[in-house]
Amino acid sequence: MKAIVPVIVAAGIGLSGPAQARTLEAVRSSGEIGLCAHPNSLPFARKAGDPPGFQVELGRVLARELGVSLRLDWIITQYQMRSAGCDIVLDVIADREAQGETRLRISKPYYRAGVALAVPSSSTLASFQSLNEHTKVGVQVGSVAAMIIGQRHVPISTFGFESDSLEAVSNHEIDAAAVTPTAASYFNLTHPDKALRILDRDESVADLNWNVAVGMIRPDDALREAIDGALERLRNDGTIDRIYGRYGIVLQAPK
Amino acid sequence: MRKQWLSSGLAVLAVTALAASAALAQTVDTSRIESAGQNDWLTYHGSYKSHHYSPLAQINANNVGNLGVAWMHVPGRSTRGLQSMPLVADGVLYYSGSYSRVFALNGATGEVIWSYFPELDEALISRQTHSPYNRGVALGEGKVFVGTMDGRLFGLDAKSGKVLWETRLIDSQKLTVGFTGAPLYAKGTVIIGSQGGEWPGRGPIFAVDATTGKKKWEFLTVAGTDEAMKSWGNDSWRTGGGGGWMPGTYDSETNTILWGTANPAPLYDWSGADYKTQGARPGDNLYTSSVIGLDIETGKLKFYHQELPHDAWDFDSAVGEFVMLERDGQKYVVHPNKGGFVFVYDRNLGVKNVWRLVENINFVKDIDPKTGELIGRRDFSAGKVTEPPLCPFIGGGVSWNAGSYSPKTGLYYKIGQEWCMTLEVQKTTPVTAPQVQLNIGADFKMAPPPGGEIYGHLDARDPITGTKKWEVRYPEPPLGSVLSTAGNLVFVPDSRGVLHAYDAETGAELWKHNNGTGHQGGIVSYSAGGKQYVAVTAGFGGMLADEYAPNFGGVYKSMPRDDGALVVFSLK
């Protein structure tokens, strides 16, 4: 089962008005911090089963660092974020334009991600630069990667799910999949017999690379600082790397 | 959870009374829906002709001032209001509320005969965007048919509400979408179209055997034929959206289902003018934003017209009724498109005329009335669209609710919506989803038309030529359906909560009543026990109605968006 992402929800209609600011004091007095996560989206998160996803695991240790427990609020789109009443979301792209509509406050970044190419192990493709008019690339519908690669006159094939485009690569239906290293690494973990080669991201294209942070819904300064501090401790002692590592993902340091 | 209201003596009496009347009643079948007996309202659009017209005249222009509330029914749990079209057969009124709750009520008294609350996947529904409202049921062969947001179609016993069958048609867990529209019954078949326009699926329309619930066929509105597959560059058919979320109709002369289809996904396309070869979904994107004719037995496409090739504005063809009428020996089908144009077709969906219902349109300069070809289309690249704002607003020049055609006056009564929007195309990320790649999204904001104000209007027009006879204006666009009657009346339920009755010939207001909350659903007239009634659903909320409070303030600031009632009127 896969989760699906609405590329655009018609009209931008439905974003609720700003919720009341949540202070660190309020979080601590309630004894819990709310994490908005998708209920059916391994390796990110899932509502039922084990493993629970790295967002749930990271949420738990973040909550522990703040001295509270974790409450999970299961939602599927950003439009439900404010009505869900959560305090944080994880794996948020630390890009002001990308977050313009969400009005999230962004923590200090804790890893670097973007769009990489996943290719069959036998492929001669070595980088984005080696794509040409004869190489067909799987892209996620409506993504910036689809636009950039398409504008280079490289044939593209549109998918709703990254996992579907990775399957298509492994079945040799397409030559490469433009996906996040997260998705490609988890695919390799769960398909050891079909493992794909993950090419380095191309840092020369700004829109295909980004830092990842914790998104906070109207925090006060104290909550923001507390989360920044907790993230720093969890990065320094290797906890975050270990959590993501359990899902086959090797994190790269933010830039 | 299912509830049968049979524990009170009162309800048992009602059932007994129903049984007595049912013994006299004929079953609801294709010929009965075709002939549209005057006492009933047997299908979403009134009959297959889709006139939304009642031949009853007991309530008329001379006595409408004496109209008052006969009874009300509060369905409860009306999240995002009430949007459904009641149906009536043999004095029993059937309607649905949010979460596909279905009620059968005594049409004369409002007493509950039975109710059925399907057990739904609440977790899924709470995650959906266009949810949990339901726009109506269908009747046929002694059954009531209703779709659910979690992808199922139910067949209920019309006498008891007992589930006779349920069929899962969509994997809603994967695709997110389900059913909000009313089904259509014809020739032993139940047709229902899925949502889809904002979600990366292929927008199926289903046919199900009314007796067994077994799926008969499925037509994919995205690339449902080899020809259509070629109109989706970059394999974008895989995520094309589409769907057919409102009911169409049935043409018995050609044995054809006529249905309107929804917009392609992704909604925003950065192609600019080169949409045939560039952008997120290069090509015309068949059969989205189209009207299609399907063989009722096989689901095979017989003919179609794509009203908006490569729709870049979210102006569905799913919203419009198919008004079937004849003039000077010619048979026509009139179909309004969400963009604000009204298309006039022959019965094979060949274009005969196109006319403008809405004044403020600039997504195209015009549409050729002879060919239906778009002239001077406005396609976007990434960036801001503000000067001029795009007209109409994404809510459309026409919404999902139906207009009405009166064979008595020969006029088509239809609501037009005059509003525009600024559009900013930007990088976005759905933060809570397992987001993967930075997306190109768009932020839309309602804006007044250039040099004017936002307003809505009820027009009385010639359905074939578009010639306007009269117009009534409203400060905010009404979102409810329109009803005309042989009593020389036109009823319009408005957004502020007022139900208006107008003289069908002149547009003069003859009566009004405040139902206390906004309307965005259906209105019908029927007769029970020799008395004429008018039934309207009231209750505001949803993707479009939610825009009213921030943009218009006033009464909308305090208007609930989780409440509603069925209000039924008769002469005092």
Side-chain angles (χ1 to χ4, degrees), chain B residues 262-379:
Chain B
N263 54 290
L267 175 54
Y268 169 67
D269 192 7
W270 59 86
S271 64
D274 300 327
Y275 71 84
K276 292 271 190 184
T277 58
Q278 297 296 309
R281 39 182 173 84
D284 283 346
N285 307 149
L286 294 169
Y287 299 97
T288 60
S289 298
S290 303
V291 287
I292 58 176
L294 304 175
D295 184 292
I296 193 171
E297 305 297 347
T298 64
K300 294 279 181 272
L301 184 79
K302 295 170 80 170
F303 39 74
Y304 73 94
H305 175 73
Q306 189 170 37
E307 292 181 339
L308 302 182
H310 192 91
D311 177 0
W313 316 281
D314 190 15
F315 293 152
D316 295 37
S317 301
V319 298
E321 60 275 12
F322 290 84
V323 182
M324 298 168 86
L325 44 92
E326 292 185 39
R327 181 178 294 180
D328 303 329
Q330 281 269 355
K331 294 182 177 181
Y332 295 99
V333 180
V334 177
H335 180 266
N337 171 276
K338 189 176 164 189
F341 287 90
V342 177
F343 289 75
V344 182
Y345 299 104
D346 63 23
R347 290 289 172 87
N348 296 327
L349 301 179
V351 175
K352 294 298 192 183
N353 190 25
V354 184
W355 51 269
R356 283 176 185 241
L357 175 75
V358 169
E359 188 180 339
N360 291 285
I361 295 176
N362 65 17
F363 75 97
V364 290
K365 280 196 170 67
D366 206 357
I367 297 182
D368 187 314
K370 289 188 172 64
T371 64
E373 187 181 355
L374 305 193
I375 299 165
R377 36 180 309 148
R378 228 176 139 187
D379 288 289

Side-chain angles (χ1 to χ4, degrees), chain A residues 13 76 80 157 162 178 180, chain B residues 127 235 238 427 436-437 543:
Chain A
I13 285 172
I76 199 168
Q80 296 158 318
S157 186
E162 290 196 300
T180 54
Chain B
R127 301 197 308 260
D235 303 336
R238 265 196 289 253
K427 292 180 291 185
V436 282
Q437 295 178 26
M543 297 295 279

Side-chain angles (χ1 to χ4, degrees), chain B residues 73-134:
Chain B
H73 180 259
V74 178
R77 211 181 175 209
S78 294
T79 309
R80 291 183 130 177
L82 279 182
Q83 300 193 17
S84 78
M85 182 75 63
L87 302 188
V88 184
D90 307 309
V92 179
L93 184 147
Y94 304 88
Y95 87 113
S96 61
S98 289
Y99 303 96
S100 301
R101 294 173 162 212
V102 184
F103 300 87
L105 310 173
N106 181 315
T109 65
E111 288 168 291
V112 176
I113 296 164
W114 56 258
S115 63
Y116 176 68
F117 299 175
E119 207 170 324
L120 301 175
D121 183 342
E122 297 274 350
L124 168 68
I125 286 166
S126 69
R127 301 197 308 260
Q128 292 170 325
T129 49
H130 299 62
S131 181
Y133 35 79
N134 183 274

Side-chain angles (χ1 to χ4, degrees), chain B residues 141 143 145 153 155 165 167 169 185-191 206-217:
Chain B
E141 299 180 11
K143 300 181 189 71
F145 307 101
L153 181 66
W165 51 256
T167 304
L169 294 169
Y185 170 84
K187 278 194 79 178
T189 305
V190 188
I191 316 289
F206 298 95
V208 169
D209 184 293
T211 304
T212 64
K214 192 175 173 189
K215 189 170 93 173
K216 289 171 82 169
W217 52 256

Side-chain angles (χ1 to χ4, degrees), chain A residues 21-23 87 105 216-224 227:
Chain A
R22 276 274 279 175
T23 64
D87 302 299
R105 296 287 298 277
M216 294 167 280
I217 298 140
R218 293 184 62 81
D220 69 345
D221 288 347
L223 180 57
R224 194 166 45 80
I227 286 173

